[in-house]
Amino acid sequence: MHLDAYLVHIDYLTAEWRQLMSENGFDAAVVYAGENQTYYGDDQEPPFHAYGHFLRWVPENDCEHAVLTVNLVDKPVLLWYAPSDYWYLPSEAPEFCNESFMVQTFADLSELQRTLRVFLRSQANVAHIGKPSSSGEQIRQTESNQKLVRQLDYRRAFKTEFELRCTEDATNRGVSGHHAAARAFANGESEYQIHLAFLHASSQHEAELPYPSIVAMNTHAATLHYQKYDRKPASEIYSLLIDAGAKAHCYHSDITRTYAAKGNDEFAGLIGDVDQAQQATIEEIAVGKSYLDLHEVVNQKIAEILTNHQFLNCSASAAYESELVDAFFPHGLGHLLGLQTHDVGGRIVGENGHEVPPHNRYESLRLMRVIEANMVFTIEPGIYFIPSLLAKWQGHPDVNWGKVDQFMKYGGVRVEDNVFVSPAGPINLTRRAFSAVSAGV
Ligand code: GLY
Ligand code: MN
Ligand code: MN
């Protein structure tokens, strides 16, 4: 825990929230950590993911039912729920909260809710951020409350020093996992074993992962969020695409590497070209540029790589214009990264919380904002050989089908790094972590 940076972070948040609350006519805000759901007819639950706006104040995921109240004058109050339970071990309120908040711990949820009601009655106009526990207050979100949430979503993109350090920790952890995964792949291990190697080296168990690791060999790499883990390696191995990240103090990393089984074949060349295009794109990142423009430029770079490797019979610009290139690169260039892997606010284009609809052509592009200092986002171009998308171009003369068929067995390539936009320019957190590990730092 970076305590000094955390205390500064809380001062920053307090000022930010008070300003937005005042502008929207609120005297106070209540932020709910959230509650988990049980499976039908059961007392078992999926892993709990607390609400991002709560975690931004209290980065501790084991916080079900906790509530933070913030008003314009007092120290924020953290209502923490720690039942006396013999089924699950409850967590105490994190020690790092003691300096910034008035912490009250409750063993009884209805007591916590009674205290919250007293607070709500003492304030004239309260914003509700997140959802109360199902047994608590019924709330109706007004239009100004919804606007405030969108404005907070927008602000999440700008990281404080504390958030940057947590993201660096998450990246370092993820990179340790990737090193072990690469070794396991080189040793001929299966998707399942590579997955376990990643977990072990990044010191995470499955429920702690920021997202389910994608460990995809051969044609599996053509399924963008491939979720199965084959227990045995295929008889012939051509490729590995591993998209796996880690968390640190609730902040996520999101990292992809692709490997060719035979280190020097044309597929290895294709990985090298995507890698180069990715790094060149990161160098082009600058405050004031539009992320959508970067996506467009990458789309054109992908078209050039496809023509250079003779996957296409047409020019790169023709493949871009006809949208043929989109069949090989069907996802967005990247997304905001933070307390969620696909963090909120990527299509909110301004301080007032205005949200734009998905792009007509690039529907899955999650980030359509102008690049600004202190953002953290991913850059993750790819080239895939996806049968269902290529089927839509079946027989089209602009595709060199013989060559494409030869590459189906590799599935695809993605290279994904996490980038911090410092006021002086982009910093590639992922490459920095990889270099530190190779240098033995
Ligand atoms: N790991 C999911 C993504 O890259 O967006
Ligand atoms: Mn990503
Ligand atoms: Mn990813």
Side-chain angles (χ1 to χ4, degrees), residues 184-199:
F185 177 60
N187 289 338
E189 295 185 18
S190 68
E191 292 173 348
Y192 177 69
Q193 289 167 314
I194 294 168
H195 168 60
L196 294 183
F198 178 87
L199 285 175

Side-chain angles (χ1 to χ4, degrees), residues 52 116 118 198 200 274 280 333 343 373 376 380 394 410:
L116 178 59
V118 171
F198 178 87
H200 184 63
V274 173
L333 176 62
D343 213 357
V376 173
E380 47 180 305
Q394 195 177 16
Y410 297 103

Side-chain angles (χ1 to χ4, degrees), residues 171 253-255 337 377-378 417-420 427-430:
T171 306
S253 62
D254 180 6
I255 301 165
L337 180 69
F377 49 68
T378 68
D417 288 340
N418 305 159
V419 178
F420 170 63
I427 298 176
N428 187 330
L429 303 178
T430 311

